[in-house]
Amino acid sequence: MAMKFALVGASVLLGGAHAMTVEDMLAAPRRSTAIVNPSGEWAAFSSSTYNWTTHKASTSWQLLNVASGNVSKAPFGSDVSEFVWIGPTDTSILYINGTNDDIPGGVTLYTADVADKEFSPTLVASLNAPFTGLKAAKTDSGDINFVANTLAWWNGSAYNEELATKARSSGQVFDSNWIRHWNVYMTEQRYAVFGGVLSGSNGTLSLKGEPKNLLHGIKDYLTRPETPVFPGADPGDYEISPDGKKVAFLTKAPELPKANYTASYIYVVPHDASSAPVAINGPGSSRPEAAKGASTSPRWSPDSKKIAYAQQNGISYESDRFQLYVATVDGNSSKITPVAENWDSSPQSILWNANGTDLWVISELHAAQRLWVVPANAEADFKPKNITGPQTSVADFALLPSGKALVSATSSWTSRIFYTVSAATTVDTKVLFSAHLVDRELATLSQNRTSNFWLPNENGDLIQTFVYYPPNFSTDKKWPAILIPHGGPQVALGDVWSTRWNMQLWAEQGFVVFVPQFTGTPSYSQRFTDLIANNWGSYPYRDLAMVWDHVEKNISYVDNDRAACAGASYGGYMTNWIQGHDLGRKFKALVTHDGKTHQEASYATEELYFIEHDQNGTIWDNYENYQIWNPIRHAKNWSTPHFIIHNDLDYRVVFDEGMSAFNILQSLGVPSRFLHFPDEGHHVLNRENSKVWHDHVFNWMRYWVGLDEELISEGIVHQ
Ligand SMILES: *[C@@H]1O[C@H](CO)[C@@H](O)[C@H](O)[C@H]1NC(C)=O
Ligand SMILES: *[C@@H]1O[C@H](CO)[C@@H](O)[C@H](O)[C@H]1NC(C)=O
Ligand SMILES: *[C@@H]1O[C@H](CO)[C@@H](O)[C@H](O)[C@H]1NC(C)=O
Ligand SMILES: *[C@@H]1O[C@H](CO)[C@@H](O)[C@H](O)[C@H]1NC(C)=O
Ligand SMILES: *[C@@H]1O[C@H](CO)[C@@H](O)[C@H](O)[C@H]1NC(C)=O
Ligand SMILES: *[C@@H]1O[C@H](CO)[C@@H](O)[C@H](O)[C@H]1NC(C)=O
Ligand SMILES: *[C@@H]1O[C@H](CO)[C@@H](O)[C@H](O)[C@H]1NC(C)=O
Ligand SMILES: *[C@@H]1O[C@H](CO)[C@@H](O)[C@H](O)[C@H]1NC(C)=O
Ligand SMILES: *[C@@H]1O[C@H](CO)[C@@H](O)[C@H](O)[C@H]1NC(C)=O
Ligand SMILES: *[C@@H]1O[C@H](CO)[C@@H](O)[C@H](O)[C@H]1NC(C)=O
Ligand SMILES: *[C@@H]1O[C@H](CO)[C@@H](O)[C@H](O)[C@H]1NC(C)=O
Ligand SMILES: *[C@@H]1O[C@H](CO)[C@@H](O)[C@H](O)[C@H]1NC(C)=O
């Protein structure tokens, strides 16, 4: 059933409107997901914009009226860094103020009521460190028990960088691996969840004692427990029970080395830390024998007696399927029951319905995150139905008292859409707000700027390819085209909004953009995902070649002589692989962002479990697995103009990989250009850096297909 979200606004604005520019995309409001109040009447979200005149970002808070879809300004500004709806009324809030007048580097907690005519907040706590990830529950006694996280010292105390004594030397010594991760080196400090109490018999709340580190009770570990798990620092890694008495959190398996295992367990601890945390699905628990991998999304049932969560089987396979479980927690023992265990899907975000009978989960299908409803006691063969479709990708959701969900989603044509949907089988989606109808920067976007097609590959699997069209597209002209091998490789790249590889923005440059979901992409089946292991250069390359062959032969509006190919991370690896093979000769230009050049350098990464899984073994026992799909072995064939980008703080795919590729290209006399950012990691996040990145990447492709007359010459470092 086709659900058209795009109403009048966008199509009216199409045509004469200018294309979305890089500046537009980067400046446009970035809206958080919606936080719904207890009565389901209001949802709050933050919005961050960028001004290219002042070169400053600014953040504001907005209130969405869930019944009407009206959006109004919240009565508070950006000094509220986050908040929860809690307190005496349905519009009471408890929030973190990111500043603290008394303790440099600390934060404060305030209470307020957003419905008050005069917004008059009350200071209730001064916290000695930069706490984030606030969650809270009211207890029987009327207290508010809260949890929040911050970095902690080895001895358990909260860490405040501004108050810490700075070491005189910058040297760091390590005795075991995992010395750095993502874009930072490990330090003494690890994230921890703290529990605090706000109480007040006279109605004015105040902090009772110091917040306690709830992880500190875990003893006898090999590697230090950490919640939320870095990187990501996702507050979804912990939750306070609705009665406020207990906290569930997950941490990587403390008895295993972190670099070569993904395993993590869910612990339960009393909120007052009166006894040590107990792992409900760790070794020796009642967990199913096969469930040894990473855990996610611990969520308390409304009666505070059960925890729903998802866990992978593979102990060192990060792209294994997440399976649903419900643990009944009784004292220190728990009974674990699998839920819909044969469902070939990978749910990673869970909420209980109000009466505790159903689990609402987000799981990806065909490159779009969907919402599903699963009975909490579903049999092994129960097949859940998606209640959202392919038109949007769900980022988060909340359940309303009406039993409906308020969904926060995105797509290539809207950076944020809020809509309600029910579990009913009839489609009853009601759109409350969509950015593309409101934001000037997104005015040219619409649902018909994208489509997709499916083609069977050599294994008989159907490969889905997403297509994005340039402004003023028509099929009776010939257009330059781009092939995008996505990253991961076990990450889908569907019809979603992104502030990094925003496929619609790429199309705005005058290209038709093709994004195939080649073998190894999640959300089609676990078997299909698993097939890429030890096959990096085989099935995915041949899928891409097959799709491109189809484009060349059957899509008349594509100009075969004006095509380019670009990829990041695994997509960069694949672009380097393509450069060494026949497909590389079909493109006028290539772009590799933070891609692998040299598989033998794999051990310079941090997550050894990833390479050891994907190359099916260690380099010492399985050397040929690291050799067979190694791009550098085919460097003699490199001849297509190639732009290499590699950032200094990329500790996943290290800088040297990009450096080697560029040196080889230059030595071979292949037209090539190199861009790096000393202050960026695997992703380019700073908007000023991102603008430079986009300007150069787009200019490189446009130049080599004849859309731009010159390569950018400004700001080039001359020798
Ligand atoms: C689309 O076509 C209209 C009408 O010809 C023109 O005014 C507009 O500039 C074009 N937009 C782009 C992005 O080329
Ligand atoms: C950006 O800042 C300038 C200078 O303060 C101001 O004139 C302009 O209106 C701002 N732009 C937007 C979109 O807010
Ligand atoms: C929503 O906002 C519009 C325009 O500001 C107003 O006319 C309308 O009454 C509002 N609706 C509700 C239900 O508040
Ligand atoms: C945040 O705290 C500062 C003092 O540290 C205060 O001046 C400001 O009014 C507070 N803002 C809010 C919204 O609580
Ligand atoms: C923990 O260690 C830090 C850094 O050495 C120190 O500042 C803090 O006082 C210690 N906490 C306790 C409870 O000893
Ligand atoms: C209420 O109690 C708090 C401490 O719990 C105290 O700081 C405050 O002054 C009291 N307020 C009144 C109005 O008594
Ligand atoms: C995993 O890490 C441990 C400790 O660093 C090491 O002993 C073990 O050999 C590693 N396993 C693999 C497969 O690398
Ligand atoms: C649960 O285990 C903890 C830590 O082992 C212990 O301190 C506590 O007394 C136990 N609680 C119960 C109810 O058995
Ligand atoms: C629980 O709620 C669901 C929908 O919200 C409803 O279908 C079901 O009948 C309820 N079950 C009980 C036991 O109340
Ligand atoms: C469920 O997904 C299918 C396949 O994408 C889609 O056709 C269908 O409309 C979706 N169902 C709902 C209720 O959105
Ligand atoms: C999308 O719809 C608009 C307005 O209806 C139309 O002008 C445009 O050509 C369509 N674009 C595509 C790619 O079909
Ligand atoms: C290698 O592949 C085999 C067969 O699929 C599997 O049993 C084994 O666990 C894999 N080894 C590693 C280290 O991934």
Side-chain angles (χ1 to χ4, degrees), residues 338-364:
V339 179
E341 72 183 291
N342 297 334
W343 181 28
D344 190 358
S345 194
S346 196
Q348 288 176 49
S349 192
I350 308 170
L351 284 183
W352 292 81
N353 70 338
N355 62 19
T357 54
D358 296 333
L359 305 176
W360 292 56
V361 303
I362 299 176
S363 190
E364 195 175 30

mmCIF file of all heavy atoms in Angstrom, residues 338-364:
data_model
loop_
_atom_site.group_PDB
_atom_site.id
_atom_site.type_symbol
_atom_site.label_atom_id
_atom_site.label_comp_id
_atom_site.label_asym_id
_atom_site.label_seq_id
_atom_site.Cartn_x
_atom_site.Cartn_y
_atom_site.Cartn_z
ATOM 1 N N PRO A 338 13.403 -16.969 25.054
ATOM 2 C CA PRO A 338 13.524 -16.372 23.717
ATOM 3 C C PRO A 338 12.148 -15.952 23.198
ATOM 4 O O PRO A 338 11.135 -16.566 23.540
ATOM 5 C CB PRO A 338 14.087 -17.500 22.849
ATOM 6 C CG PRO A 338 14.512 -18.571 23.801
ATOM 7 C CD PRO A 338 13.687 -18.402 25.044
ATOM 8 N N VAL A 339 12.109 -14.911 22.401
ATOM 9 C CA VAL A 339 10.859 -14.394 21.835
ATOM 10 C C VAL A 339 10.973 -14.435 20.305
ATOM 11 O O VAL A 339 11.930 -13.890 19.752
ATOM 12 C CB VAL A 339 10.626 -12.935 22.294
ATOM 13 C CG1 VAL A 339 9.344 -12.376 21.696
ATOM 14 C CG2 VAL A 339 10.596 -12.849 23.824
ATOM 15 N N ALA A 340 10.013 -15.081 19.664
ATOM 16 C CA ALA A 340 10.005 -15.169 18.186
ATOM 17 C C ALA A 340 11.392 -15.519 17.659
ATOM 18 O O ALA A 340 11.930 -14.855 16.766
ATOM 19 C CB ALA A 340 9.516 -13.849 17.577
ATOM 20 N N GLU A 341 11.972 -16.586 18.205
ATOM 21 C CA GLU A 341 13.398 -16.812 17.965
ATOM 22 C C GLU A 341 13.747 -17.168 16.525
ATOM 23 O O GLU A 341 14.895 -17.008 16.119
ATOM 24 C CB GLU A 341 13.965 -17.848 18.947
ATOM 25 C CG GLU A 341 13.541 -19.269 18.725
ATOM 26 C CD GLU A 341 14.108 -20.186 19.813
ATOM 27 O OE1 GLU A 341 15.328 -20.390 19.825
ATOM 28 O OE2 GLU A 341 13.331 -20.687 20.630
ATOM 29 N N ASN A 342 12.797 -17.605 15.735
ATOM 30 C CA ASN A 342 13.113 -17.936 14.337
ATOM 31 C C ASN A 342 12.888 -16.773 13.378
ATOM 32 O O ASN A 342 12.999 -16.932 12.165
ATOM 33 C CB ASN A 342 12.296 -19.151 13.875
ATOM 34 C CG ASN A 342 12.649 -20.384 14.688
ATOM 35 O OD1 ASN A 342 13.763 -20.482 15.217
ATOM 36 N ND2 ASN A 342 11.700 -21.311 14.819
ATOM 37 N N TRP A 343 12.572 -15.614 13.928
ATOM 38 C CA TRP A 343 12.345 -14.435 13.094
ATOM 39 C C TRP A 343 13.693 -13.982 12.504
ATOM 40 O O TRP A 343 14.592 -13.610 13.257
ATOM 41 C CB TRP A 343 11.735 -13.327 13.962
ATOM 42 C CG TRP A 343 11.411 -12.060 13.243
ATOM 43 C CD1 TRP A 343 11.086 -11.925 11.926
ATOM 44 C CD2 TRP A 343 11.387 -10.738 13.811
ATOM 45 N NE1 TRP A 343 10.853 -10.599 11.638
ATOM 46 C CE2 TRP A 343 11.022 -9.851 12.770
ATOM 47 C CE3 TRP A 343 11.606 -10.227 15.093
ATOM 48 C CZ2 TRP A 343 10.893 -8.486 12.975
ATOM 49 C CZ3 TRP A 343 11.478 -8.866 15.301
ATOM 50 C CH2 TRP A 343 11.123 -8.001 14.255
ATOM 51 N N ASP A 344 13.813 -14.027 11.176
ATOM 52 C CA ASP A 344 15.076 -13.683 10.521
ATOM 53 C C ASP A 344 15.186 -12.165 10.359
ATOM 54 O O ASP A 344 15.087 -11.615 9.265
ATOM 55 C CB ASP A 344 15.166 -14.383 9.163
ATOM 56 C CG ASP A 344 16.554 -14.263 8.539
ATOM 57 O OD1 ASP A 344 17.422 -13.604 9.154
ATOM 58 O OD2 ASP A 344 16.757 -14.813 7.447
ATOM 59 N N SER A 345 15.366 -11.500 11.488
ATOM 60 C CA SER A 345 15.418 -10.048 11.518
ATOM 61 C C SER A 345 16.310 -9.689 12.698
ATOM 62 O O SER A 345 16.636 -10.563 13.503
ATOM 63 C CB SER A 345 14.000 -9.506 11.696
ATOM 64 O OG SER A 345 13.928 -8.134 11.423
ATOM 65 N N SER A 346 16.698 -8.440 12.831
ATOM 66 C CA SER A 346 17.692 -8.089 13.834
ATOM 67 C C SER A 346 17.257 -6.880 14.673
ATOM 68 O O SER A 346 17.818 -5.791 14.561
ATOM 69 C CB SER A 346 19.020 -7.818 13.111
ATOM 70 O OG SER A 346 20.088 -7.826 14.007
ATOM 71 N N PRO A 347 16.222 -7.082 15.542
ATOM 72 C CA PRO A 347 15.701 -5.956 16.321
ATOM 73 C C PRO A 347 16.751 -5.384 17.276
ATOM 74 O O PRO A 347 17.475 -6.136 17.914
ATOM 75 C CB PRO A 347 14.538 -6.572 17.102
ATOM 76 C CG PRO A 347 14.830 -8.028 17.143
ATOM 77 C CD PRO A 347 15.550 -8.342 15.861
ATOM 78 N N GLN A 348 16.837 -4.056 17.348
ATOM 79 C CA GLN A 348 17.881 -3.453 18.182
ATOM 80 C C GLN A 348 17.370 -2.323 19.047
ATOM 81 O O GLN A 348 18.148 -1.581 19.634
ATOM 82 C CB GLN A 348 19.026 -2.971 17.291
ATOM 83 C CG GLN A 348 19.811 -4.131 16.737
ATOM 84 C CD GLN A 348 20.884 -3.719 15.771
ATOM 85 O OE1 GLN A 348 21.666 -2.825 16.047
ATOM 86 N NE2 GLN A 348 20.932 -4.377 14.636
ATOM 87 N N SER A 349 16.063 -2.151 19.122
ATOM 88 C CA SER A 349 15.518 -1.081 19.948
ATOM 89 C C SER A 349 14.133 -1.548 20.388
ATOM 90 O O SER A 349 13.340 -1.959 19.547
ATOM 91 C CB SER A 349 15.439 0.181 19.089
ATOM 92 O OG SER A 349 15.188 1.284 19.887
ATOM 93 N N ILE A 350 13.874 -1.497 21.700
ATOM 94 C CA ILE A 350 12.675 -2.163 22.236
ATOM 95 C C ILE A 350 11.914 -1.262 23.192
ATOM 96 O O ILE A 350 12.520 -0.521 23.966
ATOM 97 C CB ILE A 350 13.088 -3.441 23.027
ATOM 98 C CG1 ILE A 350 13.999 -4.339 22.175
ATOM 99 C CG2 ILE A 350 11.867 -4.216 23.523
ATOM 100 C CD1 ILE A 350 14.639 -5.479 22.959
ATOM 101 N N LEU A 351 10.573 -1.306 23.149
ATOM 102 C CA LEU A 351 9.730 -0.717 24.200
ATOM 103 C C LEU A 351 8.598 -1.693 24.523
ATOM 104 O O LEU A 351 8.063 -2.342 23.627
ATOM 105 C CB LEU A 351 9.107 0.608 23.741
ATOM 106 C CG LEU A 351 9.970 1.868 23.686
ATOM 107 C CD1 LEU A 351 9.108 3.058 23.261
ATOM 108 C CD2 LEU A 351 10.634 2.152 25.020
ATOM 109 N N TRP A 352 8.210 -1.757 25.806
ATOM 110 C CA TRP A 352 7.043 -2.536 26.211
ATOM 111 C C TRP A 352 5.789 -1.682 26.016
ATOM 112 O O TRP A 352 5.833 -0.472 26.239
ATOM 113 C CB TRP A 352 7.122 -2.887 27.699
ATOM 114 C CG TRP A 352 8.210 -3.843 28.085
ATOM 115 C CD1 TRP A 352 9.517 -3.534 28.287
ATOM 116 C CD2 TRP A 352 8.066 -5.236 28.372
ATOM 117 N NE1 TRP A 352 10.209 -4.659 28.669
ATOM 118 C CE2 TRP A 352 9.339 -5.719 28.740
ATOM 119 C CE3 TRP A 352 6.983 -6.130 28.350
ATOM 120 C CZ2 TRP A 352 9.569 -7.046 29.087
ATOM 121 C CZ3 TRP A 352 7.214 -7.460 28.704
ATOM 122 C CH2 TRP A 352 8.500 -7.906 29.057
ATOM 123 N N ASN A 353 4.679 -2.313 25.666
ATOM 124 C CA ASN A 353 3.426 -1.556 25.679
ATOM 125 C C ASN A 353 2.980 -1.391 27.133
ATOM 126 O O ASN A 353 3.558 -1.993 28.053
ATOM 127 C CB ASN A 353 2.347 -2.209 24.798
ATOM 128 C CG ASN A 353 1.836 -3.512 25.367
ATOM 129 O OD1 ASN A 353 2.527 -4.147 26.180
ATOM 130 N ND2 ASN A 353 0.639 -3.922 24.962
ATOM 131 N N ALA A 354 1.935 -0.570 27.349
ATOM 132 C CA ALA A 354 1.598 -0.144 28.712
ATOM 133 C C ALA A 354 1.240 -1.303 29.637
ATOM 134 O O ALA A 354 1.549 -1.269 30.829
ATOM 135 C CB ALA A 354 0.453 0.858 28.658
ATOM 136 N N ASN A 355 0.600 -2.341 29.092
ATOM 137 C CA ASN A 355 0.219 -3.432 29.997
ATOM 138 C C ASN A 355 1.206 -4.606 29.984
ATOM 139 O O ASN A 355 0.957 -5.651 30.568
ATOM 140 C CB ASN A 355 -1.227 -3.890 29.732
ATOM 141 C CG ASN A 355 -1.404 -4.438 28.328
ATOM 142 O OD1 ASN A 355 -0.433 -4.798 27.684
ATOM 143 N ND2 ASN A 355 -2.647 -4.525 27.888
ATOM 144 N N GLY A 356 2.320 -4.424 29.302
ATOM 145 C CA GLY A 356 3.376 -5.434 29.357
ATOM 146 C C GLY A 356 3.095 -6.687 28.551
ATOM 147 O O GLY A 356 3.720 -7.728 28.803
ATOM 148 N N THR A 357 2.189 -6.620 27.581
ATOM 149 C CA THR A 357 1.906 -7.815 26.784
ATOM 150 C C THR A 357 2.718 -7.863 25.491
ATOM 151 O O THR A 357 2.993 -8.940 24.984
ATOM 152 C CB THR A 357 0.407 -7.885 26.404
ATOM 153 O OG1 THR A 357 0.043 -6.663 25.760
ATOM 154 C CG2 THR A 357 -0.453 -8.104 27.636
ATOM 155 N N ASP A 358 3.055 -6.686 24.966
ATOM 156 C CA ASP A 358 3.739 -6.634 23.667
ATOM 157 C C ASP A 358 5.068 -5.899 23.737
ATOM 158 O O ASP A 358 5.236 -4.985 24.538
ATOM 159 C CB ASP A 358 2.878 -5.876 22.636
ATOM 160 C CG ASP A 358 1.572 -6.578 22.334
ATOM 161 O OD1 ASP A 358 1.522 -7.816 22.469
ATOM 162 O OD2 ASP A 358 0.605 -5.872 21.971
ATOM 163 N N LEU A 359 5.957 -6.275 22.830
ATOM 164 C CA LEU A 359 7.193 -5.530 22.631
ATOM 165 C C LEU A 359 7.109 -4.836 21.279
ATOM 166 O O LEU A 359 6.792 -5.469 20.278
ATOM 167 C CB LEU A 359 8.404 -6.481 22.625
ATOM 168 C CG LEU A 359 8.566 -7.386 23.837
ATOM 169 C CD1 LEU A 359 9.758 -8.326 23.639
ATOM 170 C CD2 LEU A 359 8.762 -6.551 25.099
ATOM 171 N N TRP A 360 7.352 -3.527 21.282
ATOM 172 C CA TRP A 360 7.456 -2.787 20.024
ATOM 173 C C TRP A 360 8.949 -2.660 19.749
ATOM 174 O O TRP A 360 9.705 -2.232 20.633
ATOM 175 C CB TRP A 360 6.828 -1.400 20.137
ATOM 176 C CG TRP A 360 5.337 -1.395 20.297
ATOM 177 C CD1 TRP A 360 4.624 -2.026 21.269
ATOM 178 C CD2 TRP A 360 4.390 -0.720 19.465
ATOM 179 N NE1 TRP A 360 3.278 -1.786 21.093
ATOM 180 C CE2 TRP A 360 3.114 -0.979 19.983
ATOM 181 C CE3 TRP A 360 4.500 0.096 18.337
ATOM 182 C CZ2 TRP A 360 1.945 -0.471 19.419
ATOM 183 C CZ3 TRP A 360 3.349 0.604 17.768
ATOM 184 C CH2 TRP A 360 2.087 0.317 18.309
ATOM 185 N N VAL A 361 9.359 -3.023 18.551
ATOM 186 C CA VAL A 361 10.797 -3.042 18.267
ATOM 187 C C VAL A 361 11.084 -2.360 16.929
ATOM 188 O O VAL A 361 10.230 -2.314 16.046
ATOM 189 C CB VAL A 361 11.367 -4.480 18.248
ATOM 190 C CG1 VAL A 361 11.084 -5.180 19.563
ATOM 191 C CG2 VAL A 361 10.816 -5.289 17.083
ATOM 192 N N ILE A 362 12.302 -1.842 16.804
ATOM 193 C CA ILE A 362 12.771 -1.344 15.506
ATOM 194 C C ILE A 362 13.703 -2.392 14.928
ATOM 195 O O ILE A 362 14.602 -2.881 15.606
ATOM 196 C CB ILE A 362 13.554 -0.024 15.646
ATOM 197 C CG1 ILE A 362 12.680 1.080 16.243
ATOM 198 C CG2 ILE A 362 14.099 0.419 14.287
ATOM 199 C CD1 ILE A 362 13.429 2.389 16.502
ATOM 200 N N SER A 363 13.439 -2.784 13.693
ATOM 201 C CA SER A 363 14.340 -3.701 13.000
ATOM 202 C C SER A 363 14.335 -3.343 11.524
ATOM 203 O O SER A 363 13.314 -2.925 10.977
ATOM 204 C CB SER A 363 13.894 -5.144 13.227
ATOM 205 O OG SER A 363 14.895 -6.014 12.752
ATOM 206 N N GLU A 364 15.489 -3.511 10.902
ATOM 207 C CA GLU A 364 15.634 -3.057 9.513
ATOM 208 C C GLU A 364 15.150 -4.114 8.530
ATOM 209 O O GLU A 364 15.435 -5.299 8.692
ATOM 210 C CB GLU A 364 17.118 -2.756 9.269
ATOM 211 C CG GLU A 364 17.393 -1.957 8.020
ATOM 212 C CD GLU A 364 18.866 -1.587 7.887
ATOM 213 O OE1 GLU A 364 19.723 -2.354 8.366
ATOM 214 O OE2 GLU A 364 19.165 -0.537 7.303
#
